[in-house]
Amino acid sequence: MNHRASAGYLAVALVATPVIVGSAYSAAATFGIVGAGASGFTATRAWDVLSDAQTWRSVLWTTYTAGVATTIATAAALFVSVRVQRSGLGRLFAVFPLSMPYVAAGLAALLMFGQSGFLSRIAFAAGLTSSPGDFPAIVYDRAGIAIIFAFAWKEFPFLALTALAVLDTRGDGLRETARTLGATARMTFTRVTLPLLLRGIAPAVIAAFAFLVGQYESVALLAPSDPQPLSVLTYERAQDPDLSRRGEAHALGLLAMASAVFLVLLHERVRGRTDERDT
């Protein structure tokens, strides 16, 4: 084994070890072996979490908001990347939100969509509502409109940057070949550019969705109290004054970890297929 390979394995070990140790500790805490409120081996906490309807409402709502936001961000990134590929200023504006933290995105959505926010005041000034409080409740709502907006706005620049990189490195030659062979602009887009983009950004889309599933800052500002996002539910169980419920937070964390592992495996499978097609 050469020096470069040894350094690579060491880096992987340094990254993976905290995850493995943390997962092992959470598993032990879930079954009452260690941690606050530990009283000996028991499967009660794990069963309570898995049999609780609140857990699965939380999982479904978290998956829904992350999935819709990722879909919107992906569609916007595909459209914009094609339009601004040749424009330096357009590319700059497309990726600008990338520098904003998620808590800022959540706060912006709160100030924009809240019933005392910017849009409600515009609606009141225009005579569309009798008071700012009459504006539709799209913050803390079960539909998660404000959260979806904040998520999509934040993930869009990441996906747009990926799509632009795909177009810059792989798109020009294939498009020129298609046009040389007589394909129209529409045919070139639908049969060459769009499939190329979808394959190229698929791993990034999965990564963005996985990140949103575990996101905390924005949902803590914008989420309803029922159903709760998985990250918020986990935090509340971890802070519960009843120590016997602390283990449930670890069980919820393991549930989130399982979904993350699944998404990582899916990411690697999609990336592997993309690499095979490119070669």
Side-chain angles (χ1 to χ4, degrees):
M1 184 182 298
N2 58 41
H3 179 70
R4 180 175 297 179
S6 299
Y9 284 118
L10 178 60
V12 170
L14 290 174
V15 172
T17 298
V19 178
I20 296 172
V21 173
S23 299
Y25 181 88
S26 288
T30 297
F31 292 103
I33 299 173
V34 298
S39 57
F41 181 84
T42 176
T44 302
R45 296 170 177 178
W47 173 250
D48 287 345
V49 167
L50 294 177
S51 61
D52 189 355
Q54 184 181 16
T55 299
W56 299 109
R57 285 200 308 271
S58 176
V59 170
L60 289 174
W61 193 85
T62 300
T63 303
Y64 149 72
T65 52
V68 173
T70 303
T71 301
I72 294 172
T74 301
L78 292 174
F79 176 80
V80 170
S81 63
V82 174
R83 295 290 182 177
V84 306
Q85 184 187 6
R86 306 299 183 189
S87 170
L89 185 61
R91 294 169 72 111
L92 176 63
F93 279 110
V95 302
F96 178 74
L98 196 63
S99 62
M100 300 294 289
Y102 268 88
V103 67
L107 182 59
L110 183 63
L111 295 175
M112 177 71 71
F113 296 115
Q115 288 184 300
S116 60
F118 184 67
L119 292 182
S120 69
R121 294 180 183 278
I122 290 179
F124 173 66
L128 300 177
T129 59
S130 57
S131 69
D134 292 334
F135 190 75
I138 52 180
V139 175
Y140 314 125
D141 62 318
R142 292 191 174 186
I145 295 175
I147 288 177
I148 290 171
F149 168 82
F151 278 176
W153 183 68
K154 271 298 298 169
E155 290 304 318
F156 160 75
F158 167 67
L159 295 176
L161 185 64
T162 305
L164 286 168
V166 171
L167 290 175
D168 289 344
T169 57
R170 309 176 194 174
D172 289 341
L174 291 175
R175 282 180 294 181
E176 290 175 4
T177 301
R179 296 301 296 271
T180 301
L181 295 175
T184 63
R186 182 176 184 142
M187 291 174 61
T188 301
F189 176 77
T190 57
R191 298 186 182 183
V192 177
T193 305
L194 185 58
L196 178 70
L197 280 172
L198 290 175
R199 289 198 309 270
I201 73 168
V205 170
I206 296 171
F209 175 76
F211 181 82
L212 293 182
V213 168
Q215 222 285 320
Y216 177 80
E217 295 94 335
S218 295
V219 295
L221 286 172
L222 303 169
S225 57
D226 184 36
Q228 290 180 305
L230 186 58
S231 58
V232 174
L233 180 62
T234 303
Y235 177 79
E236 289 195 355
R237 294 290 173 85
Q239 298 298 314
D240 198 305
D242 182 359
L243 295 182
S244 63
R245 303 203 72 183
R246 299 286 180 91
E248 295 180 11
H250 290 280
L252 289 168
L254 289 175
L255 187 61
M257 173 67 73
S259 66
V261 169
F262 169 77
L263 290 170
V264 168
L265 294 176
L266 179 62
H267 175 279
E268 289 302 301
R269 183 174 180 83
V270 171
R271 187 181 63 82
R273 287 187 173 183
T274 300
D275 291 344
E276 289 177 2
R277 290 178 181 179
D278 290 341
T279 55

